[in-house]
């Protein structure tokens, strides 16, 4: 049987969406964006391959944004997937 009594005043609190959504930078998770930017800067500045670094950043950032639209926490899942061994792995 469901309890149909009204809740007392102050019992329920509205939770804003910004408190529950993950932090995204440029549409991708923060970790992925920082790693992507660091690698692109290493290509562009360290190896002096400016065009390659820029193209790398655009392509990888686009892939990260695409994956983040499907699952905003895909980096956490990917890290967990890499850490765990396969059950049937020899």
């Amino acid at each position: 049987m469901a309890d149909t009594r009204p809740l007392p005043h102050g019992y329920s609190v509205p939770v804003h969406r910004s408190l529950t959504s993950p932090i995204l930078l440029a549409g991708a998770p923060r970790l992925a964006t920082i790693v992507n930017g660091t690698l692109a800067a290493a290509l562009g500045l360290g190896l002096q391959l400016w065009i390659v670094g820029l193209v790398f950043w655009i392509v990888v950032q686009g892939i990260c944004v695409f994956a983040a639209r499907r699952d905003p926490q895909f980096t956490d899942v990917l890290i967990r997937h890499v850490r765990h061994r396969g059950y049937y792995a020899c």
Side-chain angles (χ1 to χ4, degrees):
M1 293 227 231
D3 189 13
T4 58
R5 291 181 291 176
L7 295 174
H9 179 68
Y11 185 75
S12 64
V13 178
V15 177
H16 295 280
R17 183 175 179 192
S18 63
L19 294 174
T20 60
S21 63
I23 298 173
L24 301 177
L25 291 175
R30 186 177 59 168
L31 176 66
T33 303
I34 291 171
V35 170
N36 182 21
T38 303
L39 292 175
L43 283 173
L45 298 173
L47 299 177
Q48 295 183 355
L49 299 171
W50 305 101
I51 301 299
V52 175
L54 183 63
V55 169
F56 175 81
W57 182 78
I58 290 171
V59 169
V60 174
Q61 188 69 17
I63 292 170
C64 289
V65 169
F66 175 75
R69 285 186 182 165
R70 301 200 69 182
D71 181 15
Q73 297 176 345
F74 80 93
T75 53
D76 298 332
V77 174
L78 182 65
I79 291 170
R80 189 177 305 133
H81 170 72
V82 170
R83 281 189 186 162
H84 287 255
R85 288 190 64 210
Y87 184 73
Y88 294 110
C90 295

